[in-house]
Amino acid sequence: DAKTTQPPSMDCAEGRAANLPCNHSTISGNEYVYWYRQIHSQGPQYIIHGLKNNETNEMASLIITEDRKSSTLILPHATLRDTAVYYCIVNPAGANSKLTFGKGITLSVRP
Amino acid sequence: GAGVSQSPRYKVAKRGQDVALRCDPISGHVSLFWYQQALGQGPEFLTYFQNEAQLDKSGLPSDRFFAERPEGSVSTLKIQRTQQEDSAVYLCASSLQGWADTQYFGPGTRLTVL
């Protein structure tokens, strides 16, 4: 069973920030939060991951609450190409565990 | 550089036929994963290899599913006596070392069983 809860869908305007929420209230101390996305007819693509500190890379920012029970993926300037299903995944790092995807959140970026 | 490739991209099989799906991981990647994605669902784990060793096959849905990676590079997922419920996209991913590393996914093989 997925350890994360995401709303099924959201939309945002092109050029605006997209804030994608994720709840992971049962996260353990050694578990990381990963985000992947899947554009239609493609395989999933890694975006970012973090443990407890906020993280930023060229694709997105990840904000994790202090109690680590929820997080937000931020796409600072959404484009039409960012329309995809975004998966929030909790995964122990350094341990042999598979990625458990859940249903994800469908982000639709409108012109 | 080249990413993960999978072939064929599309496969149509009649119920009862055997199929073989191929995955070419990124060169040098030690770990290889297979996932199954039903329509409208997220991918679900099938099996995991570290080099040629199959370390986890807990996600294989039945004994009709078999995966191998004999030389620690290319992997084949074989499904015997296909059933309609096997219709799905089969995704392959590889990572440099183990589970902790980023998994890079191929485009998938869409299997349709008639």
Side-chain angles (χ1 to χ4, degrees):
Chain A
D1 292 333
K3 296 183 179 180
T4 63
T5 304
Q6 300 176 259
S9 64
M10 68 175 290
D11 63 18
C12 75
E14 189 177 19
R16 304 297 295 269
N19 299 303
L20 286 71
C22 181
N23 288 325
H24 30 80
S25 58
T26 61
I27 192 169
S28 300
N30 67 338
E31 290 180 321
Y32 284 65
V33 180
Y34 287 77
W35 283 83
Y36 281 74
R37 75 178 182 183
Q38 188 171 24
I39 295 170
H40 183 63
S41 296
Q42 296 183 22
Q45 175 192 24
Y46 167 82
I47 301 174
I48 198 168
H49 74 282
L51 182 63
K52 55 182 179 180
N53 296 323
N54 297 337
E55 302 288 344
T56 295
N57 63 20
E58 64 279 4
M59 291 184 68
S61 295
L62 174 61
I63 308 298
I64 302 174
T65 58
E66 191 170 345
D67 64 7
R68 303 209 321 123
K69 293 185 176 182
S70 65
S71 60
T72 302
L73 179 74
I74 301 173
L75 308 178
H77 305 287
T79 71
L80 298 179
R81 290 191 298 269
D82 292 322
T83 292
V85 179
Y86 288 77
Y87 297 98
C88 171
I89 299 166
V90 165
N91 201 42
N96 287 349
S97 65
K98 57 278 245 176
L99 294 177
T100 301
F101 280 85
K103 291 190 175 183
I105 178 172
T106 299
L107 172 67
S108 300
V109 180
R110 60 181 188 275
Chain B
V4 178
S5 61
Q6 293 186 245
S7 61
R9 289 293 315 276
Y10 303 91
K11 176 69 179 178
V12 178
K14 291 183 178 179
R15 190 171 55 184
Q17 283 184 331
D18 297 349
V19 298
L21 313 179
R22 176 187 170 105
C23 172
D24 285 79
I26 294 172
S27 178
H29 277 197
V30 168
S31 298
L32 185 145
F33 309 78
W34 283 98
Y35 293 82
Q36 179 190 58
Q37 185 170 24
L39 189 64
Q41 304 295 316
E44 293 192 356
F45 170 81
L46 293 176
T47 187
Y48 159 62
F49 290 85
Q50 185 169 323
N51 295 306
E52 69 278 5
Q54 189 175 19
L55 298 186
D56 187 343
K57 52 181 181 180
S58 61
L60 295 176
S62 78
D63 58 8
R64 295 186 296 103
F65 286 71
F66 172 77
E68 60 183 4
R69 194 186 184 198
E71 297 180 357
S73 55
V74 171
S75 177
T76 303
L77 176 67
K78 297 179 179 178
I79 309 173
Q80 297 177 324
R81 303 181 304 281
T82 52
Q83 304 294 315
Q84 284 188 323
E85 61 263 28
D86 300 334
S87 295
V89 174
Y90 291 86
L91 294 159
C92 176
S94 69
S95 69
L96 185 60
Q97 294 290 339
W99 296 95
D101 287 318
T102 299
Q103 294 184 30
Y104 296 87
F105 284 80
T109 295
R110 180 176 295 279
L111 172 64
T112 303
V113 181
L114 303 177

mmCIF file of all heavy atoms in Angstrom, chain A residues 33-78:
data_model
loop_
_atom_site.group_PDB
_atom_site.id
_atom_site.type_symbol
_atom_site.label_atom_id
_atom_site.label_comp_id
_atom_site.label_asym_id
_atom_site.label_seq_id
_atom_site.Cartn_x
_atom_site.Cartn_y
_atom_site.Cartn_z
ATOM 1 N N VAL A 33 11.537 11.360 0.890
ATOM 2 C CA VAL A 33 10.417 11.710 0.017
ATOM 3 C C VAL A 33 10.962 11.904 -1.394
ATOM 4 O O VAL A 33 11.862 12.715 -1.613
ATOM 5 C CB VAL A 33 9.707 12.992 0.477
ATOM 6 C CG1 VAL A 33 8.548 13.319 -0.468
ATOM 7 C CG2 VAL A 33 9.213 12.851 1.904
ATOM 8 N N TYR A 34 10.440 11.130 -2.327
ATOM 9 C CA TYR A 34 10.838 11.215 -3.729
ATOM 10 C C TYR A 34 9.651 11.720 -4.556
ATOM 11 O O TYR A 34 8.500 11.423 -4.264
ATOM 12 C CB TYR A 34 11.225 9.837 -4.283
ATOM 13 C CG TYR A 34 12.545 9.296 -3.802
ATOM 14 C CD1 TYR A 34 12.684 8.748 -2.533
ATOM 15 C CD2 TYR A 34 13.660 9.305 -4.640
ATOM 16 C CE1 TYR A 34 13.894 8.232 -2.100
ATOM 17 C CE2 TYR A 34 14.877 8.793 -4.223
ATOM 18 C CZ TYR A 34 14.989 8.260 -2.937
ATOM 19 O OH TYR A 34 16.193 7.763 -2.531
ATOM 20 N N TRP A 35 9.976 12.440 -5.595
ATOM 21 C CA TRP A 35 8.963 12.830 -6.571
ATOM 22 C C TRP A 35 9.420 12.381 -7.960
ATOM 23 O O TRP A 35 10.553 12.636 -8.369
ATOM 24 C CB TRP A 35 8.733 14.339 -6.567
ATOM 25 C CG TRP A 35 7.901 14.824 -5.417
ATOM 26 C CD1 TRP A 35 8.334 15.105 -4.142
ATOM 27 C CD2 TRP A 35 6.498 15.105 -5.425
ATOM 28 N NE1 TRP A 35 7.281 15.533 -3.369
ATOM 29 C CE2 TRP A 35 6.141 15.548 -4.132
ATOM 30 C CE3 TRP A 35 5.500 15.031 -6.401
ATOM 31 C CZ2 TRP A 35 4.838 15.913 -3.782
ATOM 32 C CZ3 TRP A 35 4.215 15.397 -6.060
ATOM 33 C CH2 TRP A 35 3.892 15.825 -4.774
ATOM 34 N N TYR A 36 8.496 11.718 -8.639
ATOM 35 C CA TYR A 36 8.666 11.348 -10.036
ATOM 36 C C TYR A 36 7.480 11.920 -10.795
ATOM 37 O O TYR A 36 6.416 12.173 -10.225
ATOM 38 C CB TYR A 36 8.681 9.826 -10.228
ATOM 39 C CG TYR A 36 9.987 9.146 -9.898
ATOM 40 C CD1 TYR A 36 10.391 8.964 -8.588
ATOM 41 C CD2 TYR A 36 10.799 8.654 -10.911
ATOM 42 C CE1 TYR A 36 11.598 8.323 -8.290
ATOM 43 C CE2 TYR A 36 12.000 8.007 -10.634
ATOM 44 C CZ TYR A 36 12.395 7.852 -9.317
ATOM 45 O OH TYR A 36 13.578 7.213 -9.035
ATOM 46 N N ARG A 37 7.633 12.080 -12.095
ATOM 47 C CA ARG A 37 6.488 12.452 -12.918
ATOM 48 C C ARG A 37 6.454 11.582 -14.161
ATOM 49 O O ARG A 37 7.478 11.038 -14.580
ATOM 50 C CB ARG A 37 6.522 13.924 -13.311
ATOM 51 C CG ARG A 37 7.527 14.291 -14.389
ATOM 52 C CD ARG A 37 7.419 15.774 -14.716
ATOM 53 N NE ARG A 37 8.336 16.166 -15.781
ATOM 54 C CZ ARG A 37 8.484 17.414 -16.210
ATOM 55 N NH1 ARG A 37 7.753 18.400 -15.645
ATOM 56 N NH2 ARG A 37 9.310 17.704 -17.179
ATOM 57 N N GLN A 38 5.264 11.461 -14.734
ATOM 58 C CA GLN A 38 5.082 10.630 -15.910
ATOM 59 C C GLN A 38 4.258 11.396 -16.925
ATOM 60 O O GLN A 38 3.058 11.626 -16.711
ATOM 61 C CB GLN A 38 4.411 9.308 -15.551
ATOM 62 C CG GLN A 38 4.366 8.320 -16.702
ATOM 63 C CD GLN A 38 3.884 6.950 -16.266
ATOM 64 O OE1 GLN A 38 3.178 6.811 -15.269
ATOM 65 N NE2 GLN A 38 4.268 5.920 -17.005
ATOM 66 N N ILE A 39 4.924 11.799 -17.968
ATOM 67 C CA ILE A 39 4.251 12.445 -19.085
ATOM 68 C C ILE A 39 3.600 11.343 -19.929
ATOM 69 O O ILE A 39 4.118 10.231 -20.015
ATOM 70 C CB ILE A 39 5.251 13.278 -19.899
ATOM 71 C CG1 ILE A 39 5.779 14.418 -19.032
ATOM 72 C CG2 ILE A 39 4.637 13.809 -21.188
ATOM 73 C CD1 ILE A 39 6.935 15.184 -19.616
ATOM 74 N N HIS A 40 2.479 11.685 -20.527
ATOM 75 C CA HIS A 40 1.682 10.706 -21.266
ATOM 76 C C HIS A 40 2.543 9.877 -22.232
ATOM 77 O O HIS A 40 3.338 10.415 -22.990
ATOM 78 C CB HIS A 40 0.587 11.431 -22.047
ATOM 79 C CG HIS A 40 -0.331 10.508 -22.776
ATOM 80 N ND1 HIS A 40 -1.141 9.598 -22.121
ATOM 81 C CD2 HIS A 40 -0.563 10.331 -24.089
ATOM 82 C CE1 HIS A 40 -1.832 8.919 -23.017
ATOM 83 N NE2 HIS A 40 -1.502 9.343 -24.217
ATOM 84 N N SER A 41 2.378 8.548 -22.139
ATOM 85 C CA SER A 41 3.046 7.581 -23.019
ATOM 86 C C SER A 41 4.557 7.516 -22.819
ATOM 87 O O SER A 41 5.267 7.001 -23.683
ATOM 88 C CB SER A 41 2.745 7.878 -24.491
ATOM 89 O OG SER A 41 1.377 7.708 -24.748
ATOM 90 N N GLN A 42 5.040 8.032 -21.702
ATOM 91 C CA GLN A 42 6.458 7.914 -21.393
ATOM 92 C C GLN A 42 6.639 7.189 -20.058
ATOM 93 O O GLN A 42 5.688 7.026 -19.294
ATOM 94 C CB GLN A 42 7.110 9.298 -21.319
ATOM 95 C CG GLN A 42 7.104 10.063 -22.638
ATOM 96 C CD GLN A 42 7.819 11.396 -22.520
ATOM 97 O OE1 GLN A 42 8.646 11.607 -21.634
ATOM 98 N NE2 GLN A 42 7.507 12.317 -23.423
ATOM 99 N N GLY A 43 7.869 6.771 -19.776
ATOM 100 C CA GLY A 43 8.168 6.204 -18.475
ATOM 101 C C GLY A 43 8.310 7.299 -17.429
ATOM 102 O O GLY A 43 8.521 8.467 -17.763
ATOM 103 N N PRO A 44 8.182 6.957 -16.156
ATOM 104 C CA PRO A 44 8.360 7.955 -15.096
ATOM 105 C C PRO A 44 9.749 8.589 -15.139
ATOM 106 O O PRO A 44 10.724 7.961 -15.560
ATOM 107 C CB PRO A 44 8.167 7.145 -13.810
ATOM 108 C CG PRO A 44 7.315 5.976 -14.217
ATOM 109 C CD PRO A 44 7.768 5.654 -15.616
ATOM 110 N N GLN A 45 9.812 9.833 -14.694
ATOM 111 C CA GLN A 45 11.055 10.610 -14.696
ATOM 112 C C GLN A 45 11.301 11.127 -13.295
ATOM 113 O O GLN A 45 10.417 11.736 -12.675
ATOM 114 C CB GLN A 45 10.926 11.776 -15.686
ATOM 115 C CG GLN A 45 12.102 12.729 -15.702
ATOM 116 C CD GLN A 45 11.810 14.002 -16.477
ATOM 117 O OE1 GLN A 45 10.649 14.405 -16.647
ATOM 118 N NE2 GLN A 45 12.851 14.662 -16.950
ATOM 119 N N TYR A 46 12.491 10.910 -12.790
ATOM 120 C CA TYR A 46 12.869 11.420 -11.471
ATOM 121 C C TYR A 46 12.880 12.944 -11.481
ATOM 122 O O TYR A 46 13.350 13.570 -12.440
ATOM 123 C CB TYR A 46 14.251 10.893 -11.086
ATOM 124 C CG TYR A 46 14.890 11.590 -9.902
ATOM 125 C CD1 TYR A 46 14.545 11.234 -8.601
ATOM 126 C CD2 TYR A 46 15.825 12.606 -10.097
ATOM 127 C CE1 TYR A 46 15.140 11.875 -7.520
ATOM 128 C CE2 TYR A 46 16.412 13.241 -9.022
ATOM 129 C CZ TYR A 46 16.073 12.875 -7.733
ATOM 130 O OH TYR A 46 16.652 13.509 -6.671
ATOM 131 N N ILE A 47 12.357 13.541 -10.389
ATOM 132 C CA ILE A 47 12.394 15.003 -10.267
ATOM 133 C C ILE A 47 13.343 15.417 -9.150
ATOM 134 O O ILE A 47 14.305 16.155 -9.368
ATOM 135 C CB ILE A 47 10.995 15.582 -9.989
ATOM 136 C CG1 ILE A 47 10.020 15.214 -11.114
ATOM 137 C CG2 ILE A 47 11.076 17.100 -9.826
ATOM 138 C CD1 ILE A 47 8.579 15.627 -10.817
ATOM 139 N N ILE A 48 13.077 14.944 -7.938
ATOM 140 C CA ILE A 48 13.807 15.446 -6.780
ATOM 141 C C ILE A 48 13.539 14.535 -5.595
ATOM 142 O O ILE A 48 12.561 13.775 -5.605
ATOM 143 C CB ILE A 48 13.367 16.896 -6.477
ATOM 144 C CG1 ILE A 48 14.368 17.634 -5.590
ATOM 145 C CG2 ILE A 48 11.966 16.930 -5.865
ATOM 146 C CD1 ILE A 48 14.117 19.149 -5.524
ATOM 147 N N HIS A 49 14.394 14.565 -4.589
ATOM 148 C CA HIS A 49 14.096 13.863 -3.348
ATOM 149 C C HIS A 49 14.725 14.590 -2.180
ATOM 150 O O HIS A 49 15.648 15.419 -2.360
ATOM 151 C CB HIS A 49 14.545 12.396 -3.396
ATOM 152 C CG HIS A 49 16.023 12.181 -3.278
ATOM 153 N ND1 HIS A 49 16.894 12.381 -4.328
ATOM 154 C CD2 HIS A 49 16.779 11.765 -2.226
ATOM 155 C CE1 HIS A 49 18.116 12.096 -3.938
ATOM 156 N NE2 HIS A 49 18.093 11.718 -2.673
ATOM 157 N N GLY A 50 14.229 14.318 -0.969
ATOM 158 C CA GLY A 50 14.753 14.960 0.215
ATOM 159 C C GLY A 50 14.425 14.159 1.466
ATOM 160 O O GLY A 50 13.525 13.323 1.459
ATOM 161 N N LEU A 51 15.154 14.450 2.529
ATOM 162 C CA LEU A 51 14.938 13.776 3.808
ATOM 163 C C LEU A 51 14.196 14.688 4.773
ATOM 164 O O LEU A 51 13.111 14.353 5.243
ATOM 165 C CB LEU A 51 16.262 13.340 4.405
ATOM 166 C CG LEU A 51 16.187 12.573 5.723
ATOM 167 C CD1 LEU A 51 15.433 11.258 5.539
ATOM 168 C CD2 LEU A 51 17.575 12.314 6.288
ATOM 169 N N LYS A 52 14.760 15.822 5.105
ATOM 170 C CA LYS A 52 14.073 16.759 5.994
ATOM 171 C C LYS A 52 14.347 18.211 5.628
ATOM 172 O O LYS A 52 13.556 19.086 5.942
ATOM 173 C CB LYS A 52 14.434 16.512 7.457
ATOM 174 C CG LYS A 52 15.920 16.524 7.751
ATOM 175 C CD LYS A 52 16.149 16.217 9.234
ATOM 176 C CE LYS A 52 17.635 16.202 9.578
ATOM 177 N NZ LYS A 52 17.856 15.895 11.012
ATOM 178 N N ASN A 53 15.442 18.459 4.963
ATOM 179 C CA ASN A 53 15.724 19.821 4.527
ATOM 180 C C ASN A 53 15.058 20.087 3.182
ATOM 181 O O ASN A 53 14.822 19.182 2.404
ATOM 182 C CB ASN A 53 17.225 20.042 4.394
ATOM 183 C CG ASN A 53 17.943 19.907 5.728
ATOM 184 O OD1 ASN A 53 17.419 20.318 6.751
ATOM 185 N ND2 ASN A 53 19.116 19.327 5.702
ATOM 186 N N ASN A 54 14.756 21.352 2.938
ATOM 187 C CA ASN A 54 14.214 21.718 1.643
ATOM 188 C C ASN A 54 15.286 21.520 0.573
ATOM 189 O O ASN A 54 16.480 21.716 0.829
ATOM 190 C CB ASN A 54 13.729 23.168 1.662
ATOM 191 C CG ASN A 54 12.600 23.373 2.656
ATOM 192 O OD1 ASN A 54 11.899 22.434 3.013
ATOM 193 N ND2 ASN A 54 12.433 24.604 3.104
ATOM 194 N N GLU A 55 14.871 21.112 -0.602
ATOM 195 C CA GLU A 55 15.790 20.839 -1.692
ATOM 196 C C GLU A 55 15.351 21.596 -2.946
ATOM 197 O O GLU A 55 14.157 21.810 -3.158
ATOM 198 C CB GLU A 55 15.854 19.345 -1.999
ATOM 199 C CG GLU A 55 16.261 18.453 -0.837
ATOM 200 C CD GLU A 55 17.727 18.574 -0.481
ATOM 201 O OE1 GLU A 55 18.506 19.100 -1.307
ATOM 202 O OE2 GLU A 55 18.101 18.123 0.630
ATOM 203 N N THR A 56 16.321 21.970 -3.748
ATOM 204 C CA THR A 56 16.029 22.641 -5.019
ATOM 205 C C THR A 56 16.993 22.129 -6.073
ATOM 206 O O THR A 56 18.174 21.936 -5.799
ATOM 207 C CB THR A 56 16.187 24.173 -4.876
ATOM 208 O OG1 THR A 56 15.211 24.657 -3.963
ATOM 209 C CG2 THR A 56 15.972 24.867 -6.218
ATOM 210 N N ASN A 57 16.471 21.908 -7.263
ATOM 211 C CA ASN A 57 17.321 21.610 -8.414
ATOM 212 C C ASN A 57 16.773 22.361 -9.624
ATOM 213 O O ASN A 57 15.900 23.234 -9.481
ATOM 214 C CB ASN A 57 17.465 20.105 -8.655
ATOM 215 C CG ASN A 57 16.158 19.437 -8.998
ATOM 216 O OD1 ASN A 57 15.188 20.084 -9.413
ATOM 217 N ND2 ASN A 57 16.105 18.129 -8.812
ATOM 218 N N GLU A 58 17.288 22.020 -10.784
ATOM 219 C CA GLU A 58 16.911 22.776 -11.977
ATOM 220 C C GLU A 58 15.458 22.539 -12.375
ATOM 221 O O GLU A 58 14.910 23.303 -13.174
ATOM 222 C CB GLU A 58 17.835 22.432 -13.146
ATOM 223 C CG GLU A 58 17.764 20.995 -13.620
ATOM 224 C CD GLU A 58 18.564 20.033 -12.775
ATOM 225 O OE1 GLU A 58 19.145 20.474 -11.746
ATOM 226 O OE2 GLU A 58 18.617 18.836 -13.126
ATOM 227 N N MET A 59 14.852 21.508 -11.855
ATOM 228 C CA MET A 59 13.474 21.197 -12.228
ATOM 229 C C MET A 59 12.459 21.751 -11.247
ATOM 230 O O MET A 59 11.386 22.213 -11.656
ATOM 231 C CB MET A 59 13.273 19.687 -12.340
ATOM 232 C CG MET A 59 13.971 19.018 -13.499
ATOM 233 S SD MET A 59 13.578 17.262 -13.596
ATOM 234 C CE MET A 59 11.845 17.309 -14.034
ATOM 235 N N ALA A 60 12.757 21.663 -9.947
ATOM 236 C CA ALA A 60 11.730 21.956 -8.953
ATOM 237 C C ALA A 60 12.348 22.214 -7.587
ATOM 238 O O ALA A 60 13.552 22.045 -7.392
ATOM 239 C CB ALA A 60 10.770 20.763 -8.864
ATOM 240 N N SER A 61 11.462 22.596 -6.663
ATOM 241 C CA SER A 61 11.831 22.712 -5.251
ATOM 242 C C SER A 61 10.941 21.779 -4.448
ATOM 243 O O SER A 61 9.778 21.560 -4.797
ATOM 244 C CB SER A 61 11.648 24.147 -4.748
ATOM 245 O OG SER A 61 12.542 25.014 -5.396
ATOM 246 N N LEU A 62 11.503 21.247 -3.379
ATOM 247 C CA LEU A 62 10.770 20.367 -2.482
ATOM 248 C C LEU A 62 10.794 20.968 -1.097
ATOM 249 O O LEU A 62 11.881 21.205 -0.540
ATOM 250 C CB LEU A 62 11.405 18.966 -2.474
ATOM 251 C CG LEU A 62 10.833 17.952 -1.483
ATOM 252 C CD1 LEU A 62 9.354 17.693 -1.769
ATOM 253 C CD2 LEU A 62 11.627 16.650 -1.541
ATOM 254 N N ILE A 63 9.597 21.221 -0.570
ATOM 255 C CA ILE A 63 9.459 21.774 0.765
ATOM 256 C C ILE A 63 8.875 20.693 1.657
ATOM 257 O O ILE A 63 7.776 20.186 1.385
ATOM 258 C CB ILE A 63 8.536 23.010 0.774
ATOM 259 C CG1 ILE A 63 8.985 24.026 -0.294
ATOM 260 C CG2 ILE A 63 8.507 23.635 2.164
ATOM 261 C CD1 ILE A 63 10.367 24.586 -0.080
ATOM 262 N N ILE A 64 9.587 20.325 2.710
ATOM 263 C CA ILE A 64 9.139 19.297 3.645
ATOM 264 C C ILE A 64 8.854 19.977 4.977
ATOM 265 O O ILE A 64 9.686 20.736 5.481
ATOM 266 C CB ILE A 64 10.212 18.195 3.814
ATOM 267 C CG1 ILE A 64 10.540 17.564 2.451
ATOM 268 C CG2 ILE A 64 9.737 17.130 4.784
ATOM 269 C CD1 ILE A 64 11.688 16.573 2.497
ATOM 270 N N THR A 65 7.678 19.705 5.546
ATOM 271 C CA THR A 65 7.331 20.322 6.822
ATOM 272 C C THR A 65 8.256 19.819 7.930
ATOM 273 O O THR A 65 8.870 18.757 7.810
ATOM 274 C CB THR A 65 5.874 20.026 7.187
ATOM 275 O OG1 THR A 65 5.685 18.601 7.248
ATOM 276 C CG2 THR A 65 4.921 20.634 6.174
ATOM 277 N N GLU A 66 8.308 20.588 9.003
ATOM 278 C CA GLU A 66 9.244 20.264 10.077
ATOM 279 C C GLU A 66 8.958 18.896 10.687
ATOM 280 O O GLU A 66 9.886 18.167 11.053
ATOM 281 C CB GLU A 66 9.175 21.343 11.155
ATOM 282 C CG GLU A 66 10.302 21.241 12.178
ATOM 283 C CD GLU A 66 10.358 22.444 13.095
ATOM 284 O OE1 GLU A 66 9.735 23.478 12.778
ATOM 285 O OE2 GLU A 66 11.030 22.352 14.142
ATOM 286 N N ASP A 67 7.675 18.528 10.782
ATOM 287 C CA ASP A 67 7.332 17.212 11.327
ATOM 288 C C ASP A 67 7.413 16.106 10.282
ATOM 289 O O ASP A 67 7.189 14.938 10.593
ATOM 290 C CB ASP A 67 5.934 17.229 11.966
ATOM 291 C CG ASP A 67 4.824 17.513 10.968
ATOM 292 O OD1 ASP A 67 5.096 17.562 9.747
ATOM 293 O OD2 ASP A 67 3.678 17.702 11.403
ATOM 294 N N ARG A 68 7.737 16.469 9.047
ATOM 295 C CA ARG A 68 7.935 15.555 7.918
ATOM 296 C C ARG A 68 6.675 14.800 7.532
ATOM 297 O O ARG A 68 6.737 13.834 6.788
ATOM 298 C CB ARG A 68 9.071 14.567 8.192
ATOM 299 C CG ARG A 68 10.379 15.218 8.515
ATOM 300 C CD ARG A 68 11.613 14.418 8.136
ATOM 301 N NE ARG A 68 11.498 12.994 8.369
ATOM 302 C CZ ARG A 68 11.661 12.086 7.412
ATOM 303 N NH1 ARG A 68 11.904 12.437 6.167
ATOM 304 N NH2 ARG A 68 11.577 10.802 7.702
ATOM 305 N N LYS A 69 5.530 15.235 7.993
ATOM 306 C CA LYS A 69 4.304 14.517 7.662
ATOM 307 C C LYS A 69 3.696 14.965 6.342
ATOM 308 O O LYS A 69 2.719 14.373 5.876
ATOM 309 C CB LYS A 69 3.293 14.660 8.802
ATOM 310 C CG LYS A 69 3.739 13.965 10.083
ATOM 311 C CD LYS A 69 2.676 14.018 11.161
ATOM 312 C CE LYS A 69 3.130 13.227 12.380
ATOM 313 N NZ LYS A 69 2.094 13.216 13.448
ATOM 314 N N SER A 70 4.209 15.993 5.763
ATOM 315 C CA SER A 70 3.717 16.413 4.454
ATOM 316 C C SER A 70 4.816 17.161 3.714
ATOM 317 O O SER A 70 5.813 17.592 4.312
ATOM 318 C CB SER A 70 2.469 17.291 4.582
ATOM 319 O OG SER A 70 2.788 18.501 5.222
ATOM 320 N N SER A 71 4.604 17.294 2.420
ATOM 321 C CA SER A 71 5.577 18.015 1.607
ATOM 322 C C SER A 71 4.867 18.651 0.418
ATOM 323 O O SER A 71 3.709 18.319 0.105
ATOM 324 C CB SER A 71 6.697 17.085 1.116
ATOM 325 O OG SER A 71 6.170 16.030 0.322
ATOM 326 N N THR A 72 5.549 19.572 -0.218
ATOM 327 C CA THR A 72 5.021 20.246 -1.397
ATOM 328 C C THR A 72 6.091 20.298 -2.472
ATOM 329 O O THR A 72 7.229 20.713 -2.196
ATOM 330 C CB THR A 72 4.566 21.682 -1.080
ATOM 331 O OG1 THR A 72 3.574 21.642 -0.058
ATOM 332 C CG2 THR A 72 3.987 22.363 -2.315
ATOM 333 N N LEU A 73 5.747 19.871 -3.653
ATOM 334 C CA LEU A 73 6.623 20.023 -4.810
ATOM 335 C C LEU A 73 6.236 21.313 -5.514
ATOM 336 O O LEU A 73 5.064 21.541 -5.803
ATOM 337 C CB LEU A 73 6.467 18.849 -5.773
ATOM 338 C CG LEU A 73 7.333 18.916 -7.031
ATOM 339 C CD1 LEU A 73 8.791 18.614 -6.676
ATOM 340 C CD2 LEU A 73 6.819 17.957 -8.095
ATOM 341 N N ILE A 74 7.209 22.141 -5.779
ATOM 342 C CA ILE A 74 6.936 23.420 -6.426
ATOM 343 C C ILE A 74 7.620 23.483 -7.783
ATOM 344 O O ILE A 74 8.841 23.319 -7.874
ATOM 345 C CB ILE A 74 7.428 24.598 -5.555
ATOM 346 C CG1 ILE A 74 6.735 24.585 -4.192
ATOM 347 C CG2 ILE A 74 7.163 25.937 -6.262
ATOM 348 C CD1 ILE A 74 7.275 25.593 -3.206
ATOM 349 N N LEU A 75 6.810 23.684 -8.821
ATOM 350 C CA LEU A 75 7.341 23.984 -10.147
ATOM 351 C C LEU A 75 7.210 25.491 -10.304
ATOM 352 O O LEU A 75 6.098 25.995 -10.413
ATOM 353 C CB LEU A 75 6.549 23.258 -11.233
ATOM 354 C CG LEU A 75 6.369 21.747 -11.061
ATOM 355 C CD1 LEU A 75 5.532 21.190 -12.200
ATOM 356 C CD2 LEU A 75 7.708 21.059 -10.982
ATOM 357 N N PRO A 76 8.308 26.240 -10.292
ATOM 358 C CA PRO A 76 8.210 27.694 -10.147
ATOM 359 C C PRO A 76 7.537 28.410 -11.317
ATOM 360 O O PRO A 76 6.845 29.407 -11.102
ATOM 361 C CB PRO A 76 9.669 28.129 -9.984
ATOM 362 C CG PRO A 76 10.477 27.009 -10.518
ATOM 363 C CD PRO A 76 9.685 25.755 -10.314
ATOM 364 N N HIS A 77 7.716 27.930 -12.501
ATOM 365 C CA HIS A 77 7.117 28.570 -13.679
ATOM 366 C C HIS A 77 6.610 27.460 -14.601
ATOM 367 O O HIS A 77 7.312 27.022 -15.505
ATOM 368 C CB HIS A 77 8.135 29.448 -14.409
ATOM 369 C CG HIS A 77 8.787 30.473 -13.541
ATOM 370 N ND1 HIS A 77 8.132 31.609 -13.095
ATOM 371 C CD2 HIS A 77 10.037 30.521 -13.020
ATOM 372 C CE1 HIS A 77 8.953 32.309 -12.342
ATOM 373 N NE2 HIS A 77 10.108 31.683 -12.260
ATOM 374 N N ALA A 78 5.395 27.008 -14.338
ATOM 375 C CA ALA A 78 4.870 25.852 -15.069
ATOM 376 C C ALA A 78 4.714 26.153 -16.560
ATOM 377 O O ALA A 78 4.306 27.256 -16.957
ATOM 378 C CB ALA A 78 3.532 25.431 -14.486
#
